[in-house]
Amino acid sequence: MRRPLKARGEAGSGPRVPGSKDVLAALSCGGGVELAAFAPADGTVRWTVPLDARRGVAEASVSFLSADPPVVWVKDRKQNGVRAILTFSPDGQPRSRIDDAGPYGDLKWAAVGGGRVITAADYQGSQSTLKRLVAFDLDTGRERWREDLGESTGSRAGTWTAAG
């Protein structure tokens, strides 16, 4: 039996995120976690897909970054589990994966817009932790650009995108 996961989002969203065409939910299904899309009018299942078909995700924290297109940040509770931003096509096909740590630093926050996933990351400088913005291509997951912001002030900064 499928059960909705407890999900977290920037605005304190529950496990369902409305999009322009679908309602998304993270479902725990017999030892695996799936992303599912439902028709808003009648609840008809449009598609379901494992969060990480290659390795599987048994138990995870799932944060919704976007419903249109579907983008989730998965933090598997297993020691070596998936910790990545995963993007999907409108019909549920996996698109890209952005690991939450890499040569760009450790990702802290993210927003989706303009065909990009824009992230805030921490990285280690010679004497302190520094901040940077990093943009990734939504379709490929490849890094498009990064901008170093300097030393960490210890305060949380927001990241958002706007049309235009």
Side-chain angles (χ1 to χ4, degrees):
M1 180 169 134
R2 294 181 179 170
R3 60 181 172 82
L5 289 178
K6 292 180 182 174
R8 297 177 304 148
E10 283 296 315
S13 65
R16 294 171 190 86
V17 177
S20 62
K21 300 175 188 164
D22 296 322
V23 174
L24 299 181
L27 305 174
S28 178
C29 311
V33 179
E34 294 181 341
L35 182 63
F38 302 89
D42 61 8
T44 302
V45 176
R46 294 190 193 224
W47 50 261
T48 61
V49 63
L51 281 182
D52 188 346
R54 189 181 57 181
R55 290 193 281 174
V57 175
E59 188 177 331
S61 167
V62 178
S63 297
F64 291 87
L65 301 179
S66 172
D68 188 14
V71 180
V72 294
W73 197 335
V74 178
K75 294 184 180 184
D76 196 329
R77 293 189 178 103
K78 292 187 299 188
Q79 180 69 21
N80 295 322
V82 175
R83 293 182 179 272
I85 296 171
L86 305 174
T87 70
F88 299 86
S89 67
D91 64 351
Q93 296 300 311
R95 276 182 159 170
S96 64
R97 173 190 173 122
I98 303 162
D99 289 323
D100 71 353
Y104 36 80
D106 296 324
L107 303 184
K108 300 299 178 187
W109 305 283
V112 176
R116 304 275 189 262
V117 177
I118 310 297
T119 65
D122 287 349
Y123 69 100
Q124 193 59 44
S126 62
Q127 297 181 7
S128 62
T129 300
L130 304 173
K131 301 274 186 203
R132 67 171 42 133
L133 290 178
V134 186
F136 297 91
D137 185 85
L138 194 63
D139 291 328
T140 66
R142 290 190 182 113
E143 184 179 327
R144 303 304 293 177
W145 54 261
R146 70 173 78 169
E147 181 67 32
D148 292 341
L149 302 175
E151 287 192 41
S152 172
T153 62
S155 63
R156 179 177 173 152
T159 306
W160 70 92
T161 61

